[in-house]
Amino acid sequence: MKITISETARISLNEIIDFLRVKWNIKEIAVLEKDIKKFRQTVNDNIVKHPSVEKFPSTKYVLIGNRQIKLIYEIKTDEILIKLFWHCKQDPKKLKDILNKK
């Protein structure tokens, strides 16, 4: 199955990596990158079913980066669309606003 990354996801991932460069070390950023690769393999192998985002049943998430970041994605007929990377320490109301705009 094809995996596509939205522009919003690219921007949010870059913002998180910039933040992590200040707060984390290189090893922890490498864990984040490894987790993203694992997600891709998990989806391709159809191994794990991830929970849905509340009020958005077709939108699912997986915790990555030492369980501090949500990789939020949508399953479509022939692709997986990565919609957003979300640092879990942010205001959850902001997340709902972003998802409602999509």
Side-chain angles (χ1 to χ4, degrees), residues 41-81:
Q41 189 62 47
T42 300
V43 168
N44 286 335
D45 294 344
N46 200 20
I47 295 174
V48 177
K49 303 294 181 201
H50 299 119
S52 295
V53 174
E54 183 181 331
K55 297 185 182 178
F56 302 95
S58 66
T59 303
K60 305 209 177 277
Y61 71 92
V62 60
L63 291 171
I64 60 173
N66 294 323
R67 303 184 57 81
Q68 295 187 43
I69 297 166
K70 284 184 182 179
L71 185 160
I72 301 171
Y73 66 98
E74 184 176 359
I75 300 174
K76 297 188 175 192
T77 306
D78 58 347
E79 76 173 328
I80 302 288
L81 174 62

Side-chain angles (χ1 to χ4, degrees), residues 9-24:
R10 287 182 199 281
I11 292 168
S12 63
L13 180 59
N14 287 332
E15 288 173 353
I16 288 170
I17 289 173
D18 289 345
F19 173 78
L20 297 180
R21 283 189 178 126
V22 174
K23 298 292 183 180
W24 288 4

Side-chain angles (χ1 to χ4, degrees), residues 28-40:
E28 291 166 321
I29 294 171
V31 167
L32 174 61
E33 291 171 349
K34 182 180 172 186
D35 287 350
I36 292 170
K37 289 177 184 176
K38 271 190 203 178
F39 164 76
R40 177 181 219 126

